[in-house]
Amino acid sequence: MVIVDTGFWLALANRNDPHHTQAIKVLAHVKEPLITTWAVVTETCYLLLTTMGNQAQVNFISNLSTGIFTVFDLQPHHGRRICELMEQYADLPMDLADGSLVVLAEHLGHGRILSVDRRDVNTYRWKNTYPFENLMLLDS
């Protein structure tokens, strides 16, 4: 499974996004299922609604209902790890969506991700050691 960050979803949805063409091209080469977290879904819907309108968030959620991607279900015990990560990366700072993606990588045992946020993704380490592998960089 390939992890997906908010910025990638936004780039796919918005033809005016500077990463739109690259996101479509990279996605065409991904042969694994896509997975994200509810925190990312929430953040994506909010940003789609405020920047592109209601139909954009409806289209995004319809992709979820048709199985285009799945959502990792964070559990209460993940809250402790997310708090640790937020404190560790307070200088960025890390938000809930990013913390949830690190927890997801730790759960999956890999950090293959689609993200346009190079600064944060290049900084974060899952299991405090392993860097993410941003598949968006493979085509740039």
Side-chain angles (χ1 to χ4, degrees):
M1 301 188 108
V2 174
I3 301 166
V4 186
D5 191 10
T6 302
F8 185 82
W9 294 128
L10 298 175
L12 280 178
N14 186 350
R15 293 178 189 196
N16 296 321
D17 187 287
H19 303 285
H20 178 75
T21 302
Q22 182 187 12
I24 289 174
K25 187 175 179 183
V26 170
L27 185 60
H29 291 95
V30 172
K31 302 302 179 204
E32 297 176 63
L34 304 178
I35 189 168
T36 196
T37 66
W38 285 113
V40 169
V41 169
T42 301
E43 184 177 62
T44 300
C45 283
Y46 172 77
L47 292 170
L48 287 171
L49 176 64
T50 58
T51 61
M52 297 178 63
N54 188 59
Q55 192 57 49
Q57 74 171 344
V58 169
N59 293 342
F60 174 67
I61 292 300
S62 73
N63 288 323
L64 171 61
S65 67
T66 59
I68 301 296
F69 63 96
T70 60
V71 181
F72 175 68
D73 213 6
L74 290 170
Q75 299 300 309
H77 71 273
H78 291 128
R80 177 179 296 151
R81 178 65 175 139
I82 292 171
C83 286
E84 291 170 0
L85 290 163
M86 288 174 163
E87 289 173 351
Q88 180 180 348
Y89 294 105
D91 57 324
L92 288 178
M94 175 183 269
D95 63 17
L96 173 61
D98 286 348
S100 72
L101 293 175
V102 173
V103 167
L104 175 54
E106 292 173 345
H107 173 80
L108 294 173
H110 74 76
R112 288 188 315 280
I113 192 168
L114 293 167
S115 178
V116 301
D117 186 354
R118 294 178 179 176
R119 181 197 70 167
D120 291 354
V121 169
N122 287 340
T123 303
Y124 300 146
R125 297 291 182 262
W126 54 278
K127 293 193 177 178
N128 296 323
T129 304
Y130 304 104
F132 280 87
E133 178 187 0
N134 190 351
L135 302 181
M136 284 290 287
L137 299 179
L138 299 179
D139 189 58
S140 51

